[in-house]
């Protein structure tokens, strides 16, 4: 019975959050977009396939852990200069802090449900190098602002 539920879950279409598809399409017209996520390789590839958005990404990196070391390996493998990289994500611990530590920039988009492990005390957050927006639709304007800076 549990296996049946799991199989059905894997076959369900991926439901995107409001504004994700439109914003991703807009951003990918102007910038190279790389999907960096963590988790099970099969599960993450399956989700991407079911989203029908895979063609908008220059590449996909599925990591077992998102920390400065793993981002550094991605940058090296792909020839990315940290200062030219902007990470967008919902986790301060996994998306913002390690990228800023490497000299990149980050955009935090909080999600209503976040694992306690992903919280970072305010006094441990980088003072510079990252911004917070409340909705993904704000991203294109912010990226233009960061590019002009």
């Amino acid at each position: 019975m549990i296996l049946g539920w799991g199989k059905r879950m894997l076959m369900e279409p991926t439901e995107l959050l409001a504004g994700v598809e439109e914003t991703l399409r807009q951003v990918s017209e102007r910038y190279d977009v790389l999907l960096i996520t963590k988790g099970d390789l099969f599960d993450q590839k399956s989700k991407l396939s079911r989203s029908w958005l895979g063609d908008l990404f220059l590449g996909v990196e599925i990591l077992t852990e998102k920390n400065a070391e793993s981002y550094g390996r991605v940058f090296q493998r792909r020839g990315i200069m940290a200062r030219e990289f902007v990470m967008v994500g919902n986790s301060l611990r996994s998306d913002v802090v390690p990228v800023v530590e490497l000299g990149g920039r980050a955009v935090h988009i909080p999600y209503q449900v976040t694992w306690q492990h992903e919280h970072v005390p305010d006094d441990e957050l980088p003072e510079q190098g990252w911004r917070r927006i409340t909705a993904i639709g704000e991203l294109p304007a912010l990226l233009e602002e960061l590019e002009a800076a």
Side-chain angles (χ1 to χ4, degrees), residues 87-105:
M87 179 65 181
V88 178
N90 67 335
S91 169
L92 291 168
R93 184 169 308 285
S94 297
D95 298 323
V96 172
V97 173
V99 169
V100 173
E101 282 179 8
L102 291 171
R105 293 173 288 177

Side-chain angles (χ1 to χ4, degrees), residues 24-149:
L24 184 55
R25 289 190 184 285
Q26 185 178 356
V27 168
S28 68
E29 289 176 2
R30 184 165 181 171
Y31 304 98
D32 290 336
V33 179
L34 180 65
L35 175 63
I36 302 177
T37 188
K38 71 178 179 181
D40 177 73
L41 180 66
F42 175 78
D43 182 47
Q44 295 297 347
K45 284 189 171 189
S46 176
K47 285 180 188 176
L48 181 60
S49 174
R50 289 179 283 132
S51 76
W52 299 100
L53 299 176
D55 61 326
L56 300 178
F57 297 100
L58 177 67
V60 177
E61 295 281 345
I62 301 171
L63 309 174
T64 55
E65 196 60 48
K66 287 166 70 178
N67 54 33
E69 183 179 320
S70 59
Y71 281 108
R73 285 192 301 269
V74 170
F75 292 174
Q76 184 176 22
R77 185 171 49 253
R78 293 191 171 265
I80 296 171
M81 296 176 61
R83 70 177 185 273
E84 296 177 357
F85 184 82
V86 179
M87 179 65 181
V88 178
N90 67 335
S91 169
L92 291 168
R93 184 169 308 285
S94 297
D95 298 323
V96 172
V97 173
V99 169
V100 173
E101 282 179 8
L102 291 171
R105 293 173 288 177
V107 177
H108 180 237
I109 308 173
Y111 186 64
Q112 66 251 19
V113 178
T114 304
W115 290 5
Q116 184 62 31
H117 168 74
E118 296 297 333
H119 289 280
V120 176
D122 287 345
D123 63 336
E124 294 180 22
L125 288 171
E127 292 183 24
Q128 298 177 21
W130 70 284
R131 302 274 294 275
R132 179 177 286 139
I133 58 178
T134 58
I136 195 160
E138 300 170 34
L139 184 61
L142 177 57
L143 291 175
E144 286 185 28
E145 181 183 323
L146 292 174
E147 189 175 20

Side-chain angles (χ1 to χ4, degrees), residues 15-23 109 111 134-138:
E15 291 186 37
L16 300 173
L17 297 174
V20 168
E21 182 174 358
E22 298 82 7
T23 302
I109 308 173
Y111 186 64
T134 58
I136 195 160
E138 300 170 34

